[in-house]
Amino acid sequence: MKLVFKLYAGLTDYLPPDAVDNKLIIEVSEHNTAYEVIDRYNVPREMAHLVLLNGVYIKPEDRNKAVFNDGDTLAIWPPVAGG
Amino acid sequence: MAWANNVLRVNLTEGTTSNEPLNMEWAGLYLGQRGLATKYLAEEIDPKCDALGSGNKLIMTTGPLTGTMASTGGRYSVVTKSPLTGAVACSNSGGFIGAELKAAGYDMIIFEGKSPRPVYLYVENDKVEIAPADEIWGQSVWAADEWLHKKYQDPLLRIAAVGRAAEKGCLYAAVVNDLHRAAGRSGVGTVMASKNLKAVAVRGTKGVGNIKDPGAFMQAVNAGKKVLAENAVTGQGLPTYGTQVLMNVINEVGAMPTRNMREVQFEGASKISAEAMHEPRESDGKPNLVTNAGCFGCTIACGRISTIDRGHFSIENKPQYWGASGGLEYEAAWALGSDTGVDDIDALTYANFICNEDGIDPISFGATVAAAMELYQIGAITKEQTGGVELKFGSAEALAWATEVTCRGEGFGLDLGMGSKRLCEKYGHPDLSMTVKGQEFPAYDPRGIQGMGLTYATSNRGACHLRSYTVSSEVMGVPEKTDPLVTEGKPELVKAFQDATSIVDSSGLCVFTTFAWTLEDIAPQVAAACGGDWTAESMLEAGERIWNLEREFNLAAGLTAADDTLPKRLLTEPAQTGPAKGNVNRLHEMLPKYYEVRGWNEQGVPTDETRQRLSL
Ligand code: SF4
């Protein structure tokens, strides 16, 4: 099934060159976990600070669980802040 | 002891100046800057006075660490009664003028009365002069800055000034310093202009020498800088991407106020984000962002310096805007962009330049344009008022025009200069104003981040994110992650953020340090510089005292618990998309508990016990 995978800020460099607007459509299975996708793109796990599935935060302890549905969006940031 | 122990008092009515020692008893209770100047203001003016009358005072104030070698120790604030809200106003700015004022030997300048003619104040260490400003009255901040630099032939002169919008009575005019840093919110620039005070030019060469324990201070400051450098946010994220990194984050969590807060996600967010500012343009291959920049003594350097595409309609015939200048911060990009539905980054950067050039708050301005666009859409405002301009959501041309006429105080720009509340009242739809206490919202929709609803409703200066930035916890997980859609625990969280921020704003340091620092990092720096018993606990208590002092000023000014609320839209119209879909802000679940944890009665008034505990 399809997953919209987004990497932002300092993680942008881990996206392949064909990504547009920080975004890539990738193929995942229902058994895949957030960490498996993070590892697939060589993003250091400690840099995957803000991990959002459809905008909702996935806690570190849940990143090893199968959570995806077809068409979901997984967006990831390193530690960021602003004001 | 870090303070200069010297207050400069300027009586503009009489044209006289005098010096007096700082009230050190108050400094022990309120530290400096925001807290201490608010104490002076509360003691010296009638809170019910006309904010634009001669009875109001305007205080430019530093903190004890301003001008020292502490990282970010260059902050100053402008404290007065706000003409926009009728509440206390305290607007904080970086740049260099705060440190310069301290190096000239002053903790604060208190402006009183009203000058019979336009003047500016020139300060060079002990030399103080009130001089005629006829030649720069009617000119922009940038023109005034250039004129003063030429006149004194001193490139190191630091200047804060107001522009044409302030002179024309725009209620959210800023005091701009160092060309593109601003004490931006609540109309502090409008008060300055109402006193016929165009600019303050400062040169200080004395330095800040009276550190209580220099050895301990060096040690504490270096330890603090190490923490900032090693933290991923302050060491990498902010310098590289600036506050604009939040554009995509907040849009993803469904808390991006869009088109006058009718929606909570903006389809054009990625086009106006930090990532977009790094992308090379098609026309010349250069990105919008030229470099980052830092305020005095800052080791974070989150500032943005940008250029506009020279072929862009806004500047193609205006070479004066072809150079680099202050670029988009998240708040400006949101208000000028998402809230108006405009996704043209060059148009936003142009509007931002102009806001700096003539000194208006881009948050209040963008939000007011958004309200005007909604009024236009429903037919309450027509081309008759706009002089033929189609004031449509998403129109970059309309945004550029609105910025120009507001900054110059011309035509419909005078209506826009009233702010969203008065504009929506004038055109018969007060509910469309997205304001609290008359001040426009910043960039976080409280339907998607519940704690921010309480933050806005209870902020002492009207809707403001910088009074308690619970986004840090609710979205970014700093210091720890809380659920943005839950109200439980938010009253305590908001109080903790409000108190901590109040004292950081009173120290001379930048609140952005708190993405890495806690009060445990800040207290040793303050204690070594100031002497006395400054610990994390005593600082937090002083922060609580400051918050209550501001509250009491507002109550005395005539505000009540009824003002601690949000616009109907946010309390009754649910978010339609994203994780917050179906949510309104549940303020009623948080406000009573908040009053309780504050030690206030049900009318939101501090109890005698609270007043006593805080030595108020
Ligand atoms: S962090 Fe940013 S706003 Fe704060 S002092 Fe540094 S450059 Fe200025």
Side-chain angles (χ1 to χ4, degrees):
Chain A
M1 61 191 180
K2 301 262 186 277
L3 178 78
V4 182
F5 180 56
K6 301 178 180 176
L7 291 177
Y8 286 109
L11 303 182
T12 306
D13 294 343
Y14 292 97
L15 281 171
D18 54 327
V20 180
D21 273 350
N22 296 76
K23 185 161 72 181
L24 207 62
I25 313 277
I26 63 169
E27 200 62 44
V28 291
S29 88
E30 62 201 310
H31 306 296
N32 280 146
T33 68
Y35 269 149
E36 282 168 358
V37 175
I38 288 167
D39 294 346
R40 198 193 291 180
Y41 288 89
N42 302 316
V43 177
R45 286 188 181 189
E46 67 280 7
M47 289 305 287
H49 176 76
L50 193 58
V51 180
L52 303 180
L53 182 64
N54 301 324
V56 179
Y57 181 69
I58 312 186
K59 295 191 197 115
E61 60 267 30
D62 292 335
R63 292 176 192 171
N64 263 325
K65 293 184 185 153
V67 282
F68 300 134
N69 288 306
D70 190 33
D72 278 353
T73 297
L74 183 71
I76 302 175
W77 283 263
V80 292
Chain B
M1 288 185 305
W3 296 280
N5 197 14
N6 188 11
V7 174
L8 175 61
R9 203 174 273 277
V10 179
N11 185 321
L12 290 163
T13 309
E14 305 291 333
T16 56
T17 66
S18 59
N19 293 68
E20 65 194 48
L22 191 70
N23 187 320
M24 293 309 292
E25 192 192 326
W26 291 350
L29 289 167
Y30 298 96
L31 190 56
Q33 207 174 346
R34 174 174 162 188
L36 188 53
T38 303
K39 178 66 177 166
Y40 271 88
L41 188 80
E43 293 287 334
E44 294 191 11
I45 73 163
D46 173 4
K48 287 201 159 60
C49 73
D50 173 5
L52 299 179
S54 60
N56 195 6
K57 297 189 183 184
L58 181 115
I59 307 178
M60 290 185 169
T61 172
T62 65
L65 296 193
T66 308
T68 68
M69 57 185 290
S71 184
T72 78
R75 309 294 301 190
Y76 99 110
S77 293
V78 181
V79 174
T80 187
K81 175 175 170 166
S82 162
L84 187 68
T85 64
V88 67
C90 172
S91 290
N92 185 306
S93 181
F96 295 86
I97 195 167
E100 199 74 22
L101 181 61
K102 192 75 172 292
Y106 305 94
D107 295 300
M108 58 173 82
I109 310 178
I110 303 178
F111 293 97
E112 312 178 333
K114 174 179 173 161
S115 169
R117 52 188 293 210
V119 291
Y120 68 89
L121 183 77
Y122 177 76
V123 177
E124 188 186 343
N125 296 327
D126 297 336
K127 184 177 156 195
V128 178
E129 191 178 280
I130 302 172
D134 303 281
E135 286 189 57
I136 43 176
W137 195 259
Q139 307 251 0
S140 73
V141 170
W142 291 358
D145 187 287
E146 191 181 340
W147 185 83
L148 284 162
H149 273 117
K150 273 199 185 135
K151 178 174 166 117
Y152 290 96
Q153 289 293 303
D154 183 355
L156 290 177
L157 194 63
R158 302 297 182 185
I159 293 160
V162 293
R164 290 172 288 186
E167 293 175 17
K168 294 283 177 75
C170 169
L171 289 177
Y172 45 83
V175 179
V176 177
N177 59 282
D178 304 294
L179 294 177
H180 42 75
R181 286 278 165 184
R185 300 228 71 193
S186 311
V188 296
T190 321
V191 176
M192 183 161 153
S194 77
K195 298 189 172 305
N196 274 329
L197 178 63
K198 180 70 180 177
V200 177
V202 185
R203 188 74 176 95
T205 54
K206 295 184 186 179
V208 182
N210 49 350
I211 298 294
K212 175 79 177 167
D213 183 342
F217 185 64
M218 288 272 273
Q219 229 171 13
V221 159
N222 286 340
K225 285 181 181 171
K226 192 159 179 278
V227 173
L228 293 178
E230 288 171 0
N231 181 281
V233 172
T234 50
Q236 294 154 30
L238 277 174
T240 312
Y241 293 99
T243 57
Q244 262 277 65
V245 77
L246 289 182
M247 184 63 71
N248 285 312
V249 179
I250 301 301
N251 198 46
E252 196 76 20
V253 301
M256 171 69 66
T258 301
R259 286 175 278 266
N260 202 32
M261 305 190 90
R262 286 194 311 200
E263 296 148 73
V264 296
Q265 287 182 309
F266 180 44
E267 66 286 353
S270 68
K271 289 194 191 164
I272 59 170
S273 65
E275 287 83 358
M277 288 171 75
H278 280 259
E279 283 294 312
R281 288 189 280 256
E282 267 178 33
S283 58
D284 58 6
K286 292 180 184 154
N288 172 284
L289 183 73
V290 177
T291 182
N292 66 329
C295 304
F296 176 88
C298 179
T299 54
I300 301 174
C302 76
R304 305 289 91 184
I305 301 295
S306 288
T307 57
I308 305 168
D309 186 338
R310 287 188 189 183
H312 190 260
F313 77 84
S314 60
I315 63 156
E316 57 185 342
N317 299 316
K318 299 174 190 163
Q320 68 269 36
Y321 300 113
W322 288 359
S325 190
L328 293 166
E329 307 287 341
Y330 172 55
E331 291 297 333
W334 158 77
L336 301 168
S338 158
D339 208 30
T340 65
V342 175
D343 65 5
D344 174 342
I345 200 166
D346 288 302
L348 305 193
T349 308
Y350 173 68
N352 196 60
F353 279 15
I354 304 286
C355 286
N356 285 334
E357 180 178 21
D358 255 304
I360 61 171
D361 169 13
I363 302 180
S364 283
F365 167 69
T368 303
V369 173
M373 285 175 164
E374 188 164 357
L375 290 165
Y376 183 83
Q377 190 173 55
I378 63 172
I381 286 174
T382 64
K383 282 189 189 166
E384 198 182 320
Q385 281 87 35
T386 65
V389 174
E390 284 208 67
L391 198 54
K392 280 189 178 161
F393 279 120
S395 168
E397 289 78 8
L399 174 70
W401 165 81
T403 319
E404 289 163 3
V405 293
T406 305
C407 282
R408 292 191 214 117
E410 291 170 1
F412 188 66
L414 291 170
D415 272 3
L416 290 171
M418 296 190 298
S420 160
K421 177 171 177 265
R422 291 165 179 85
L423 181 87
C424 291
E425 280 166 1
K426 176 172 176 178
Y427 290 100
H429 294 270
D431 284 351
L432 295 186
S433 170
M434 298 300 119
T435 49
V436 171
K437 300 181 176 80
Q439 179 157 282
E440 292 73 13
F441 278 81
Y444 310 90
D445 196 299
R447 289 169 290 201
I449 308 175
Q450 292 289 326
M452 289 309 283
L454 184 62
T455 289
Y456 296 149
T458 60
S459 160
N460 286 328
R461 68 168 183 179
C464 172
H465 58 300
L466 291 171
R467 285 297 175 267
S468 81
Y469 193 63
T470 61
V471 177
S472 196
S473 162
E474 296 182 270
V475 177
M476 269 91 73
V478 180
E480 60 189 39
K481 186 79 176 75
T482 53
D483 187 335
L485 297 180
V486 161
T487 55
E488 209 192 329
K490 297 298 162 66
E492 294 85 352
L493 188 72
V494 167
K495 176 184 180 290
F497 268 89
Q498 285 173 338
D499 293 348
T501 307
S502 297
I503 197 66
V504 174
D505 285 346
S506 302
S507 66
L509 301 175
C510 177
V511 74
F512 287 175
T513 56
T514 59
F515 295 128
W517 286 351
T518 67
L519 289 180
E520 299 285 352
D521 298 290
I522 296 174
Q525 301 183 49
V526 172
C530 301
D533 182 28
W534 291 104
T535 61
E537 293 73 39
S538 69
M539 288 187 77
L540 202 59
E541 189 189 63
E544 186 178 6
R545 182 177 301 120
I546 293 161
W547 190 266
N548 279 272
L549 175 74
E550 292 175 341
R551 177 76 177 183
E552 298 219 321
F553 179 95
N554 287 352
L555 293 170
L559 280 81
T560 67
D563 296 298
D564 295 338
T565 190
L566 297 171
K568 208 166 92 188
R569 171 166 286 171
L570 306 176
L571 297 172
T572 60
E573 294 176 24
Q576 288 159 24
T577 61
K581 189 174 174 178
N583 277 266
V584 294
N585 186 268
R586 303 193 299 283
L587 181 63
H588 64 278
E589 292 175 11
M590 300 181 277
L591 194 60
K593 178 78 183 168
Y594 171 82
Y595 284 177
E596 193 189 313
V597 297
R598 274 257 165 249
W600 297 352
N601 67 20
E602 283 170 12
Q603 281 75 48
V605 179
T607 62
D608 287 344
E609 199 191 329
T610 302
R611 303 190 77 248
Q612 248 169 18
R613 179 170 60 80
L614 296 172
S615 317
L616 278 164

